[in-house]
Amino acid sequence: MPSLTGRLEGAVSRNLLHVASQDSGSPKLEKQALGVWGHAGQFSELKLAVPWGHIAAKAWGSQQGPPVLCLHGWLDNANSFDRLIPLLSKDFHYVAMDFGGHGLSSHYSPGLPYYHQNFVSEVRRVAAALKWSRFSLIGHSFGGLVGGMFSCVFPEMVDKLILLDATPFFLDTNEIENLLTYKRRNTEHTLQVEASKKPSKVVSQEAMLQGFLKNNSHVGEECGALLLQRGTTQVATGLVLNRDRRIAKIEHCLDFVSKELFEHYIRKLQARVLLIKATQGYHDVRRENDANTEPMLFKIGMLRAVLKERFQFVEVTGNHYVHMNQPQLVASVINSFLQSKERIPAQL
C-alpha cells in the first residue's frame, strides 16, 4: 500500500498546451490543456474561463468521439470518476468538471450564492466552451440532480442521461416544513462566512483524510485519498481544503419539486435515461429520512410511465460511492447503455 503522502500527491507528468478561443457575441472562453499520466490513465487537465474565474475539468479520449460530461457529487470533485472512466468505452470523449467552489475550480465571486440553478448554468457554460451542441451526461448524487435539471431545461442538448445513485430531482414531500428554513440558513451561512476573517484551517494529511472518512462513511480510504488529492492544497504546515466555505449543506441550495412538477419536468426530457441504484445507497437528501423509500419508488415509477422504453433501471450491490469503490459493477451497464440504441435488459 503506498504511503498516505503518495496517495494524496500522485505521480503525474505534465506537458503544457494553452488554447484560447472566443465566439462572436459570447464571453471569452479559455481552455488550458495539460497532458497527464497518472492513476486514471492518460487524461488532460482543462481550464475553462468563466466570468468569476475558471471551471477546471479533466478529459479522456479523442475529441472526435461522442462527448460525455461527468458531474460529481456534493463537496466532491472530478476525481470522483478517475476509477470509472478508464473502464468505459474508448469510443467516447469524457470530460469530468469541477463545479464552482469545488476541486480546482474558482470560487464564486463575493456576494454570489451557490444555488442549484447556478450549477445547471455551469454545465451550459462548459458545453459552450467545448462547442458541444449535443452530448450525454453522467451524474453522481448531486451531479445527477444538476444533470436532471439541465436535461429538462435544455432537452435538445442531451442524448443520454446516466444517474449514479441519483434521481433527476428531489421531491418536496418530506420537506414542506423545512423549505423556508433552508433558504434562511443558506443566506445566514453565506453572510457569516463572508464576515469571518478566519483563514482556512490547516491540518495534517492524516487528519484531513480521517476527518473526510468520518464524514463520508461510504467512501473507502483509497477513494477518500483520491478525492482529497484534487480537493486540497499543500501548504507549509499541512493541507487546506480547496472548496468554498460558503458551500454548506446540500439541502440549503436545492430546488425541491412537487410530484406534479416532477411529472411535468420529466415530460420535457428528450434523452434516454439510465438510473443505477446502489442497494446500500441513499434514498433521500437527508439521511434521517432514508428509511422512507416512497418518494424514490414514486420517481422510478413515474420515469417508467412517462419515458417508457427510454428509461432503464438497474440495481447494483454497493453503497452510494459504488462507482468509485467498485467501478467494475457499473462500467459494463454504462458501456452498454452508451453504445446501444436499443433498450438493454435491466439486469446485472
Side-chain angles (χ1 to χ4, degrees), residues 50-198:
V50 291
W52 62 90
H54 69 270
I55 291 175
K58 306 172 71 167
W60 290 257
S62 170
Q63 295 184 32
Q64 306 308 311
V68 180
L69 183 63
C70 304
L71 308 176
H72 63 77
W74 191 249
L75 304 183
D76 293 340
N77 55 64
N79 277 14
S80 177
F81 298 97
D82 276 13
R83 292 167 62 89
L84 173 62
I85 289 177
L87 302 181
L88 299 183
S89 170
K90 303 300 187 290
D91 295 335
F92 295 84
H93 179 55
Y94 304 94
V95 173
M97 63 180 283
D98 292 327
F99 286 126
H102 295 71
L104 302 180
S105 287
S106 299
H107 296 182
Y108 282 7
S109 301
L112 181 63
Y114 288 90
Y115 283 134
H116 191 161
Q117 188 59 36
N118 291 346
F119 295 109
V120 176
S121 298
E122 287 184 34
V123 174
R124 186 64 183 85
R125 290 181 185 276
V126 168
L130 298 175
K131 303 185 186 302
W132 291 354
S133 60
R134 190 170 177 84
F135 54 98
S136 293
L137 285 166
I138 300 177
H140 170 242
S141 193
F142 176 69
L145 296 171
V146 174
M149 180 67 84
F150 181 89
S151 299
C152 294
V153 175
F154 299 98
E156 75 285 357
M157 296 188 70
V158 182
D159 183 33
K160 299 182 179 72
L161 172 63
I162 298 171
L163 303 167
L164 298 174
D165 209 44
T167 60
F169 304 97
F170 272 126
L171 298 179
D172 63 11
T173 309
N174 299 321
E175 302 293 349
I176 295 295
E177 296 298 320
N178 302 317
L179 295 180
L180 292 178
T181 301
Y182 292 156
K183 294 178 185 299
R184 177 180 178 131
R185 288 178 179 171
N186 192 17
T187 300
E188 290 180 338
H189 175 75
T190 298
L191 294 175
Q192 181 181 30
V193 171
E194 289 177 349
S196 173
K197 303 301 180 183
K198 292 172 57 177

Side-chain angles (χ1 to χ4, degrees), residues 37 39 44 46-47 57 73 114 149 158 171 204 214 258 273 275 281 287 315 335:
W37 282 95
H39 52 263
S44 298
L46 307 180
K47 199 172 182 181
Y114 288 90
M149 180 67 84
V158 182
L171 298 179
S204 69
K214 182 179 179 181
S258 65
V273 178
L275 195 162
R287 307 306 179 230
E315 191 171 65
N335 278 329

